[in-house]
Amino acid sequence: MDDRCIIIGAGHAGSQAAISLRQEGYTGEILLINDEEDIPYHKPPLSKSYLKAPEHGGLVLRPESTYRDNNIELVFGHRVDTVSIGDRTVTLDDGRVLNWSELVFATGARARIPDVSGVDLDGVVTLRRMQDARRIAAMMPEVQNVVIIGGGFIGLEMAHSAIALGKKTVLIEAAPRVLGRSVATHISVHVEARSRSAGIALLTGVGVQEIEGANGRVIGVRAVDGSIFPADMVVIGTGAVPNVELAEAAGVLIDNGIVVDEHMRASTEHVYAIGDCVSYDHFHAGRRVRLESVQNATDQAKHVARSIVGRAAPFREVAWFWSDQGDMKLQTAGLSFDADRHILSGNPEENAFSVFHFAGDRLVAVDSINRPADHMIARRLLAAGISPTEADIAAGAARLKELIANAAKS
């Protein structure tokens, strides 16, 4: 058959993969399949600027004409029901059977729903897609009390958006601190204090017993300690689950995501996977990871395009993340899994500081709040494999840039 690459999923990863294939010289057909009808859009603003001013719109990643000009066929509003590796086909929900020579899973992740009674009540929401954001934005004018379950990035962003909209906002986190799996204790402590000063009632170390309702609609949340919090809206922000069922049913290897090698190749020939649904061995972390970020999705999309056209290069991108929460811009470079030493730079009281994480003498990550220059330098340090000393960090940005420049010369 003629070359045809089918990409399942049109988030940041899928959209970028389609465009990158053309940029890398792929001449076959490209079909971008998505069960949403919206043209691919920016997802980070959904929990922030979109909720505050949904009428402004402006979230489209690329105009529809870009796909048309690059001869990329959009098959939107349809779900892939089955994938046959042997026949190299996908079957859509309308019965169409499409052949492929290369297949890319860019199926993303969905909200993890806790095992708590009441999650199916009207007024209990998750936020992963545009249709979720539209639903929440439409509800907001009638909402007075918002309870958010989960103190990760989505939960905290939603909490700050809700409080900015004048809603009484409660955030409940079962772990001892917010962002516990993502950032240093210094950052968590600062985010908690800043969030409380913004008016958010933030509780940590508190589990949820049930979501209460009346006449099918949410009215409150009961914590395990018996406390009851009134709620017109409950936001579930308890993590995400990778969408791997389609790949798994097709016989593709799964391990907390679709397993891929350093070229984004799955366990089956001519099958690839990218983005939030992917599990891979991270070159810097030294372990298998699954990362949920726009940066990771976009970089993997660019790499998979090179792999498909025969110019495969090992995936060696430094992981980085960001989150806007009220007056805090939190940015992270690297992965701090094995960190056993932490160096503070800057002053938390000024709401601008960074934490450098080390495993022994090796720099593994840097968390920054309102220090974008530190973040950019950190990405360059990690990419070059440079581990500054405590004296280097104390000397400031000029010294760190000098280390980078010296490494480039050697």
Side-chain angles (χ1 to χ4, degrees):
M1 65 167 291
D2 294 334
D3 287 342
R4 174 192 278 171
C5 181
I6 288 183
I7 303 167
I8 306 176
H12 288 271
S15 173
Q16 182 65 56
I19 296 299
S20 291
L21 276 170
R22 287 294 183 235
Q23 292 172 338
E24 294 294 336
Y26 185 81
T27 57
E29 294 181 61
I30 300 175
L31 272 65
L32 188 58
I33 303 176
N34 199 32
D35 59 359
E36 295 186 78
E37 295 185 352
D38 291 293
I39 297 298
Y41 52 87
H42 290 278
K43 291 192 173 182
L46 296 181
S47 58
K48 301 178 282 290
S49 59
Y50 179 83
L51 287 186
K52 296 174 186 175
E55 68 279 3
H56 289 171
L59 300 186
V60 173
L61 280 171
R62 300 169 179 88
E64 189 171 1
S65 60
T66 300
Y67 303 98
R68 185 170 56 251
D69 293 345
N70 282 279
N71 197 22
I72 297 166
E73 183 178 349
L74 304 182
V75 184
F76 283 9
H78 289 283
R79 183 184 67 252
V80 175
D81 278 347
T82 59
V83 170
S84 172
I85 301 297
D87 295 336
R88 292 200 193 177
T89 60
V90 300
T91 302
L92 302 185
D93 55 4
D94 61 3
R96 276 183 290 172
V97 178
L98 304 173
N99 296 93
W100 50 267
S101 56
E102 294 84 27
L103 180 67
V104 180
F105 286 98
T107 46
R110 63 186 181 276
R112 183 185 301 277
I113 306 300
D115 185 16
V116 174
S117 64
V119 292
D120 56 349
L121 289 166
D122 187 22
V124 178
V125 300
T126 59
L127 181 55
R128 298 290 302 184
R129 294 178 157 211
M130 177 65 81
Q131 62 189 34
D132 299 328
R134 288 192 182 111
R135 178 187 175 199
I136 293 170
M139 294 168 59
M140 272 297 185
E142 306 302 321
V143 167
Q144 297 300 319
N145 296 287
V146 177
V147 175
I148 297 163
I149 301 174
F153 289 124
I154 290 291
L156 283 158
E157 289 170 3
M158 281 292 299
H160 280 277
S161 292
I163 206 75
L165 290 168
K167 313 304 178 183
K168 185 175 181 181
T169 305
V170 176
L171 186 146
I172 304 173
E173 168 56 55
R177 61 185 179 94
V178 300
L179 303 173
R181 292 178 296 177
S182 306
V183 301
T185 301
H186 287 91
I187 301 290
S188 292
V189 169
H190 183 81
V191 168
E192 289 175 12
R194 206 82 184 177
S195 298
R196 290 187 178 107
S197 67
I200 299 165
L202 194 155
L203 296 83
T204 56
V206 177
V208 170
Q209 180 175 317
E210 66 175 325
I211 301 172
E212 299 185 335
N215 301 317
R217 179 162 186 82
V218 67
I219 61 170
V221 174
R222 181 186 295 272
V224 293
D225 63 3
S227 302
I228 299 176
F229 303 95
D232 309 303
M233 176 188 291
V234 173
V235 181
I236 303 294
T238 50
V241 179
N243 293 320
V244 300
E245 291 79 8
L246 193 62
E248 187 170 29
V252 177
L253 183 62
I254 306 296
D255 180 11
N256 184 34
I258 301 171
V259 175
V260 297
D261 66 10
E262 62 184 0
H263 303 300
M264 304 296 107
R265 297 178 299 208
S267 59
T268 302
E269 194 175 8
H270 300 291
V271 177
Y272 305 81
I274 52 177
D276 292 7
C277 65
V278 159
S279 167
Y280 68 104
D281 289 318
H282 194 279
F283 82 104
H284 198 256
R287 67 181 67 189
R288 182 162 290 278
V289 299
R290 186 177 65 81
L291 302 180
E292 298 167 16
S293 78
V294 170
Q295 169 269 331
N296 185 65
T298 301
D299 285 343
Q300 288 185 346
K302 295 175 181 177
H303 273 71
V304 82
R306 297 185 193 113
S307 294
I308 289 172
V309 300
R311 289 195 292 274
F315 188 67
R316 295 288 186 271
E317 302 299 328
V318 173
W320 54 272
F321 314 84
W322 80 93
S323 176
D324 293 322
Q325 302 168 21
D327 62 358
M328 296 174 288
K329 187 172 192 67
L330 168 58
Q331 295 171 290
T332 292
L335 300 167
S336 59
F337 296 121
D338 299 318
D340 53 23
R341 187 165 61 94
H342 314 277
I343 297 175
L344 178 66
S345 175
N347 187 354
E349 292 184 2
E350 296 175 358
N351 196 29
F353 65 102
S354 295
V355 181
F356 289 71
H357 304 281
F358 291 82
D361 292 329
R362 178 171 169 260
L363 181 69
V364 293
V366 179
D367 294 326
S368 301
I369 286 184
N370 295 335
R371 294 274 287 256
D374 283 3
H375 174 71
M376 296 305 298
I377 290 171
R379 284 162 54 180
R380 295 170 65 191
L381 289 170
L382 290 164
I386 299 169
S387 296
T389 65
E390 188 167 356
D392 290 329
I393 294 169
R399 172 56 182 160
L400 298 179
K401 289 178 181 178
E402 182 183 358
L403 294 177
I404 295 167
N406 291 340
K409 295 176 185 175
S410 61

